[in-house]
Amino acid sequence: RTKYSNPEIQTGVHINFNEWNDIVNDKKTILLDIRNDFEVQIGSFKGAINPKTKNFTEFKDYVKTSLNNCKDEKIAMFCTGGIRCEKASSYLLAKGFKNVCQLDGGILKYLQNIPESKSLWHGECFVFDGRVSVKNELKDGTYKMCHACREPLSLKEVNSKSYIPGISCPKCFAKISDEKKKRLMERNKQISIAKKRGIYSRYIKQTVT
């Protein structure tokens, strides 16, 4: 095995979605959700560990502090589409971990193919598109996006007094200055006017460039 991680040379063993439940149910396996913390809070597999990281650098720190004595243990990891696992599993192998596997195709492929009655997924899965989140069998989720801080919001958070569409939410209300809120309100007003006039795309292009 190489000293330095390289996903093109070595990655963890890819586990098919049909076999993934056996991995989740194996009490001897260390099951890692390697997505960012806010994604894990929305939903995850039963019994999975949340390293509470925000980026790959923090994941490497987690490995050093929490997994350093687990190099002989079986490590199974998963992420949204499987791409992040390529980098993470390669890193573990380069660090001397001997038994590393990952969910092939990620959470989305699992949710798409495993019926809800057999699914071990709890909650919803954050996705980086207009749906914001999906549930078992890729049904539309219930989360919305705060366009001020880009954080996913539960129905309870959407119903909060701190939630003002496009301006603030309970997660960022206290962090955004009154001046910025006024700017966001004005921007939303202009976007609304542009949409009514049918020139929304032209307005966005002007504000971005």
Side-chain angles (χ1 to χ4, degrees), residues 30-44:
I30 297 174
L31 185 63
L32 289 180
D33 189 333
I34 63 164
R35 298 172 301 154
N36 292 339
D37 185 45
F38 78 89
E39 298 172 75
V40 183
Q41 291 182 28
I42 290 177
S44 192

Side-chain angles (χ1 to χ4, degrees), residues 55-122:
N55 50 53
F56 190 67
T57 298
E58 290 188 2
F59 174 74
K60 291 193 288 187
D61 291 338
Y62 171 79
V63 172
K64 183 177 180 180
T65 58
S66 301
L67 295 180
N68 201 42
N69 297 323
C70 302
K71 291 184 177 180
D72 292 325
E73 303 290 330
K74 184 174 182 179
I75 308 287
M77 60 178 62
F78 60 91
C79 58
T80 306
I83 302 301
R84 204 178 306 183
C85 284
E86 298 285 280
K87 186 176 181 180
S89 66
S90 181
Y91 178 78
L92 288 185
L93 290 169
K95 287 296 180 181
F97 288 81
K98 299 177 176 60
N99 192 350
V100 181
C101 64
Q102 61 197 71
L103 175 58
D104 188 35
I107 300 163
L108 294 181
K109 193 168 185 179
Y110 177 93
L111 294 180
Q112 181 181 13
N113 290 279
I114 300 299
E116 186 172 357
S117 60
K118 296 182 179 179
S119 176
L120 296 181
W121 178 264
H122 294 172

